[in-house]
Amino acid sequence: MKFQIRQLEAFRAVAETGSITKAAAVLGISQPAVSRLMSDFSKSVGFELFQRRRGVLEPTSDSRYLLAEVSRILDRLDHLDDLRRDIAERKSGHIRIACLPGFATSHLPGVLVDFLADRPGVTVTLEPDRPERILEWIIGEQYDCAITDGFSGHPATEATDVKIRSVLIMPEGHPLAERALLRPSDIQQEKLIHSRRDSPFFRQLERAFAEDGAQINSWIEVRQFTAACTIVAQGHGVSVVSALDAEQYRDQGLIIRPFAPQLDHRLSILRPITGNASPLVFDFIKAFTDSLAPYTVPMSRRTRSGATASSAH
C-alpha cells in the first residue's frame, strides 16, 4: 500500500472536524478534493473510514486504530519540516571538532559557548588529541574540522592558516617587567621554558637568539604553550609563547610583554577537502578565526590545500 501525505492529512482533518466541508477549510482545498482523497485512501486501506451519526462523520472502530498512527506520522513530518527549517537557518545540527589539548581547556570553550548561544538546536563533539591523530581523523572524515599546528599540508585536507603573534611571559614581580620591550639578549640569563626543539617555532626562537648574539638558557622543553604558561604563572622561569595562550593566564600571575623580533605561531584550521561540510561548520570556522583577531599578525589569514605550517600549543 502506498499512501499520499495529503490523504493522511485529509483523513486526520475529517476525523478532527467531523465534516468534509470543515476539513476542506482547514486544509485550504475544495470539498470535492477532500472527498476524492478520502475515497482513494479508503480503497487503499480496504475498509470504511467513517460512519455518519447525527450529521457528523465519526471514525469507524477500525479507522480509530489507524488514526492514532497517522497522527504520529504527521507529527513526525511536522518535526522533520521544523528540523529542515532549523538546519537551513543554521539553528540545528551537530559539529564534530578535533583540537589540540591546550585549546580544549583555554580559548575554545568560550568561543563555543558564544557560538551556541543563539543556536539552541546545535550540539558539538569536542575531541582533543595530538596533531598526528587529528590529521588522521580529518583525512578519514571522522571530524568536520580541526584546530592544530605544525601542519605541513595534505592533499585530502583544506587548511585556513592564522598567524598568532608571540609575547614574552614572566612571573609577577620579575625585574624585567619594567621593560616595555624585550629582546633575546635581555633574557639569556633567565631560565627559559620553550617548545620542543624539533618544532618550527623553536627554530625561529633559536635563530632570533643567534642574530641577537645571545645564548638560549634552556631549562624546560614543553609540547604545549599552556604548560609553559602554567609554570611561569607559578613563579618559575620565562618563556616566549603565543599571545593567545598568554592572555588566558593574564589573571593567574603572568606579566606579558612584547618580544622582538616578532615570532609567528601558525595555527591551522583543517577540514576534509572531500567532505560535504554543512554551512554550520563554515559558520563555526569563521566564528573561531574571528575570535583570534586580537592576537593575530595583520593580513595573516590564508586558505590552502596542503602547504606548510608551524609550532606548539
Side-chain angles (χ1 to χ4, degrees):
M1 292 182 292
K2 292 184 178 179
F3 306 130
Q4 298 176 10
I5 293 175
R6 205 57 167 160
Q7 291 175 343
L8 303 183
E9 291 174 336
F11 173 54
R12 183 170 69 174
V14 173
E16 290 176 346
T17 62
S19 164
I20 295 290
T21 302
K22 292 178 180 178
V26 169
L27 297 174
I29 59 178
S30 67
Q31 293 180 44
V34 175
S35 296
R36 187 167 54 253
L37 288 168
M38 286 298 86
S39 176
D40 292 343
F41 189 43
S42 180
K43 291 175 183 177
S44 296
V45 298
F47 53 80
E48 289 297 319
L49 298 171
F50 298 98
Q51 56 189 6
R52 187 175 293 276
R53 289 184 180 175
R54 297 182 296 278
V56 176
L57 293 175
E58 295 181 352
T60 63
S61 57
D62 288 335
S63 68
R64 286 195 189 97
Y65 294 107
L66 187 62
L67 179 61
E69 187 60 32
V70 166
S71 294
R72 279 193 290 269
I73 291 171
L74 292 176
D75 287 343
R76 288 169 186 163
L77 288 173
D78 288 342
H79 172 70
L80 182 62
D81 190 53
D82 290 341
L83 182 60
R84 175 203 58 77
R85 190 181 305 108
D86 285 345
I87 292 173
E89 296 174 359
R90 302 176 190 181
K91 293 182 179 179
S92 183
H94 185 73
I95 308 177
R96 301 162 300 169
I97 305 169
C99 68
L100 298 172
F103 274 112
T105 57
S106 57
H107 183 73
L108 187 53
V111 176
L112 278 176
V113 168
D114 291 343
F115 179 75
L116 297 173
D118 60 349
R119 296 174 173 86
V122 176
T123 56
V124 173
T125 295
L126 181 62
E127 185 69 36
D129 212 314
R130 65 188 190 281
E132 298 82 4
R133 184 62 173 154
I134 288 173
L135 180 57
E136 290 176 10
W137 286 338
I138 293 298
I139 293 171
E141 300 183 24
Q142 294 173 263
Y143 284 78
D144 298 305
C145 61
I147 303 161
T148 187
D149 62 9
F151 179 64
S152 58
H154 191 282
T157 68
E158 181 174 281
T160 297
D161 294 336
V162 182
K163 291 181 180 178
I164 306 296
R165 58 186 171 81
S166 61
V167 294
L168 178 72
I169 58 173
M170 65 192 80
E172 288 181 340
H174 197 286
L176 292 177
E178 299 176 359
R179 305 276 190 93
L181 176 70
L182 291 154
R183 303 187 60 83
S185 55
D186 297 322
I187 61 171
Q188 63 178 332
Q189 301 302 320
E190 304 294 328
K191 294 188 292 186
L192 187 67
I193 305 156
H194 57 80
S195 60
R196 296 188 313 173
R197 293 179 182 274
D198 60 352
S199 70
F201 189 81
F202 181 79
R203 287 193 288 272
Q204 288 187 69
L205 185 66
E206 196 173 37
R207 189 181 313 116
F209 268 78
E211 291 175 354
D212 201 33
Q215 297 287 325
I216 291 179
N217 183 17
S218 177
W219 184 42
I220 300 176
E221 182 178 334
V222 296
R223 183 178 188 122
Q224 299 173 0
F225 286 147
T226 50
C229 291
T230 299
I231 296 169
V232 174
Q234 292 176 355
H236 311 290
V238 301
S239 188
V240 180
V241 300
S242 80
L244 174 63
D245 290 280
E247 192 61 34
Q248 311 305 312
Y249 287 78
R250 181 182 289 276
D251 297 329
Q252 299 183 36
L254 279 191
I255 299 296
I256 303 172
R257 291 291 181 267
F259 184 75
Q262 180 57 246
L263 308 181
D264 301 331
H265 170 58
R266 182 175 294 166
L267 294 179
S268 295
I269 299 96
L270 311 184
R271 66 179 189 86
I273 202 167
T274 57
N276 296 318
S278 72
L280 197 60
V281 173
F282 289 103
D283 286 349
F284 167 74
I285 291 174
K286 183 180 186 303
F288 179 73
T289 53
D290 287 350
S291 75
L292 300 176
Y295 315 105
T296 58
V297 177
M299 304 299 290
S300 64
R301 190 182 307 174
R302 67 190 182 99
T303 300
R304 62 194 168 95
S305 297
T308 212
S310 100
S311 139
H313 192 277

